[in-house]
Amino acid sequence: PSLEGYLFLVMPRLISLLDLATTPINVAESTLACVSSIVSAVNCNSFASRTILKLVQLLQCSPTQQLQTAVIDVLCTLMEQLQDEFTLFMPMISSTMKKRGIVDHAKYERYSRLLFSGRLIPKDMVRVPPLLSGDTTKAETGLSMVNTDGMTKQYVNATVLRRAWTVSQSMSKGEWAGWLSKFSNELVRQSPSAALRACSGLASKHPKLCKELFNAAFVSCWTELPGQYQQEIVSSLQEVASKPDVPPDVLQTILGLAGYMERDEKQIQIDLKLLGDYAERCHALAKELHYKEAEWTLEKNYETIEKLIELNQNLDLPDSAVGMLNYVCKEQPDIRESVEWYRRLQRWDDALSIYRRQEAEEGPSYSNTNGQLRCMFEMSDWDSLLPLYERIWSGNDHQLQMASANIGMSMA
């Protein structure tokens, strides 16, 4: 904050050093790290236009992906400061990113969505780190060692992390917990967050703490890994979950991670059907309902409807189950109504109407008549039951007579 009165002296000089045509790349990288620290700590609105234009020029000619990522991170910090005013520069930034082949920068995309939805909250200004105090060692001024929040940021050793997530083909049921513990500890040790990495020693001795830090450590490493390594992690997690002997704790950890990333607006590339299957296997009914509802929005089919009704019933949410059924009948008239839906919901009058309609179209049958008996009995509709009993016992269907005898005994 003490720099605010001197920005007119500092910022123009720093901005001029971001020109790769006249500045060596290592100087430009150190300058960018310095600018990142300043915009995180000081309100730079008066220099925002000049800074953004120079950053876009640097993005256009940056020779390394590392430098491109650092530039976009600084732009994200400026987006937090400027709020709606930043939208003036977004078409130019998007065009430059497209030209350079940067199609998916998770942080920029997330900040953009939050900005347009009015949910991007500016962060509090942080103290400028020792980067400006004269100590210009590589450990402190390296581009990848300082993030836009002014906090020290560590490298992620993807090779070491890969060894931890790799799954052996001959793992027994008792070894899965050891694999998860090893993977969790390595995520904390390799996390680019200095706060998480500082917990690695304690987490290795206290499994409960390591389990609590798993989601945060995973996401912090995930955002730093290239797409190839991200896909390898996803494949490894899917391979683990596909094993028939994997314990429910491991499945619940994967489901918890998927939910954590979803809330953080980072989608893990595991199919919704698979996540629903994982939830079903470990009896996580609420999570299974969540993924089945998401699956329904993408693929409206008969099996999903039945599963949603069943899950709502098992979770003691009868009103939700009825609402789902009413919605399907109204919005999806092409999906054939099932009498089983109404029987599960104990809506016997609607089930009886379907049985009678089927009887009028297809003629009487054992299953249809037995279903009518059950519906009338549950509704205590004795006036309709007696004529139906007379018809059954005057006929020759002994199987139906035996089935109806049970209901008749209950009536008596």
Side-chain angles (χ1 to χ4, degrees), residues 163 165-173 175-176 179 235-240 242-245:
R163 287 199 293 267
W165 79 58
T166 301
V167 180
S168 172
Q169 296 296 327
S170 57
M171 292 181 70
S172 64
K173 182 177 181 179
E175 292 175 329
W176 288 115
W179 170 85
S235 300
S236 182
L237 293 177
Q238 288 179 329
E239 182 181 356
V240 169
S242 66
K243 302 294 184 181
D245 60 345

Side-chain angles (χ1 to χ4, degrees), residues 154-158 160-161 163-164 178-205 210 213-214 216-218 220-221:
Q154 308 292 335
Y155 287 105
V156 177
N157 191 329
V160 174
L161 198 57
R163 287 199 293 267
W179 170 85
L180 181 59
S181 176
K182 177 184 175 183
F183 184 33
S184 302
N185 279 305
E186 199 58 52
L187 283 171
V188 177
R189 276 194 292 267
Q190 295 298 329
S191 173
S193 168
L196 285 173
R197 191 173 287 205
C199 299
S200 59
L202 188 60
S204 64
K205 297 178 181 179
C210 190
L213 296 177
F214 177 81
F218 184 96
S220 66
C221 293

